[in-house]
């Protein structure tokens, strides 16, 4: 992958780059040129990739689940509360309606919560990929900046 303009990383560039790294985070070494002998490194390119990873991490941290996921969960919790209130009269139609409303609220809460957890898992996975790529790149830079073994 070629490095996009460092000052103009688009959200699509960041998402695409992290998507490609998800297959193999060590690709960052090839992309940055640090897989070659140290004399061939272009330090501006390496610094560009460090900036890319930092911006990708910041973008991933800024992403939030859609508002609709929170709304679905909130409506479900509200329905559960209403359903419980309607079941207070132990018998009759209001209790039956209360059970149905509470059940529907439980399903809505579950659906919203599942969507929120999926988003959280996806985001955490992408953050782990970015961290792994950053660590690989930093380890490569540190290993080549260490004094030679005698």
């Amino acid at each position: 992958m070629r490095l996009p303009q460092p000052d103009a990383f688009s959200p699509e560039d960041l998402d695409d780059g992290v998507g490609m790294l998800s297959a193999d985070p060590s690709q960052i070494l090839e992309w940055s040129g640090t897989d070659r002998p140290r004399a061939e490194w272009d330090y501006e390119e390496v610094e560009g990739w460090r900036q890319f990873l930092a911006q990708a991490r910041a973008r991933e941290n800024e992403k939030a689940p859609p508002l609709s996921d929170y709304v679905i969960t909130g409506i479900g919790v509200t329905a559960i509360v209403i359903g419980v209130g309607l079941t207070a009269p132990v018998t009759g139609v209001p209790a039956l309606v209360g059970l149905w409303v509470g059940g529907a609220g439980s399903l809505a809460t579950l659906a919203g919560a599942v969507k929120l957890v999926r988003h959280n898992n996806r985001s955490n996975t992408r953050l782990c990929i970015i961290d792994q790529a950053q660590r690989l790149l930093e380890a490569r830079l540190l290993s080549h900046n260490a004094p030679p073994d005698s």
Side-chain angles (χ1 to χ4, degrees):
M1 179 173 168
R2 292 186 45 83
L3 181 67
Q5 291 297 334
D7 297 334
F9 294 132
S10 72
E12 293 80 23
D13 291 337
L14 297 171
D15 288 340
D16 292 347
V18 174
M20 289 196 281
L21 284 173
S22 66
D24 181 13
S26 66
Q27 290 180 73
I28 195 68
L29 301 177
E30 180 183 330
W31 296 349
S32 64
T34 55
D35 61 336
R36 298 187 301 260
R38 184 177 177 188
E40 297 177 22
W41 289 7
D42 177 358
Y43 283 95
E44 287 182 20
E45 182 87 4
V46 172
E47 186 56 34
W49 282 108
R50 291 173 81 189
Q51 288 176 14
F52 178 87
L53 292 171
Q55 287 185 25
R57 181 177 229 317
R59 172 163 166 67
E60 198 60 44
N61 282 329
E62 290 172 359
K63 288 182 182 177
L67 184 61
S68 62
D69 294 352
Y70 290 106
V71 170
I72 290 169
T73 306
I75 289 171
V77 170
T78 303
I80 290 172
V81 171
I82 291 171
V84 168
L86 290 175
T87 57
V90 180
T91 59
V93 174
L96 207 51
V97 169
L99 288 173
W100 280 101
V101 170
S106 295
L107 289 175
T109 302
L110 180 63
V114 164
K115 291 176 97 180
L116 290 171
V117 168
R118 281 186 184 155
H119 177 81
N120 189 37
N121 287 345
R122 179 183 171 277
S123 183
N124 284 341
T125 300
R126 291 175 64 86
L127 285 170
C128 286
I129 290 165
I130 293 166
D131 284 346
Q132 187 175 8
Q134 283 177 320
R135 286 189 187 113
L136 285 168
L137 187 56
E138 294 300 324
R140 179 61 59 106
L141 293 173
L142 288 174
S143 70
H144 286 290
N145 289 333
D149 295 331
S150 36

